[in-house]
Amino acid sequence: VATIELKINYLSPVKQQDIIATGRILFNDNRKAVGITEIFTKKGSGKLKLIAIGLGTFKIKPKKNKK
C-alpha cells in the first residue's frame, strides 16, 4: 500500500488526555482505497469532543502470484 494523499484537520489541542479514534473505509476497489478517521477526547461530563479528522487515499498494489 502506498499513500497517495493524507490530510489531517486539527480542531482542538489535547493536554495529556486519553484519546479515542474511530475509522472506516469510504471507498475500496482493487486499485485504491479511501479511509476516514475521527479522533475524540472525553469531556468531564463523559461526552466526546472531536479534536481531529483525517482523510487518506491509498494505492493498493496487487499481490504477486507465487509460482
Side-chain angles (χ1 to χ4, degrees), residues 17-30:
Q17 295 172 288
D18 290 337
I19 59 171
I20 299 165
T22 61
R24 62 191 167 103
I25 301 298
L26 299 175
F27 173 82
N28 187 10
D29 67 12
N30 292 332

Side-chain angles (χ1 to χ4, degrees), residues 18-58:
D18 290 337
I19 59 171
I20 299 165
T22 61
R24 62 191 167 103
I25 301 298
L26 299 175
F27 173 82
N28 187 10
D29 67 12
N30 292 332
R31 295 174 297 164
K32 65 182 165 187
V34 177
I36 189 169
T37 187
E38 297 174 315
I39 316 291
F40 301 90
T41 60
K42 274 193 178 179
K43 291 176 143 184
S45 63
K47 288 182 72 176
L48 295 178
K49 178 182 178 184
L50 182 63
I51 59 167
I53 298 172
L55 180 67
T57 305
F58 306 93

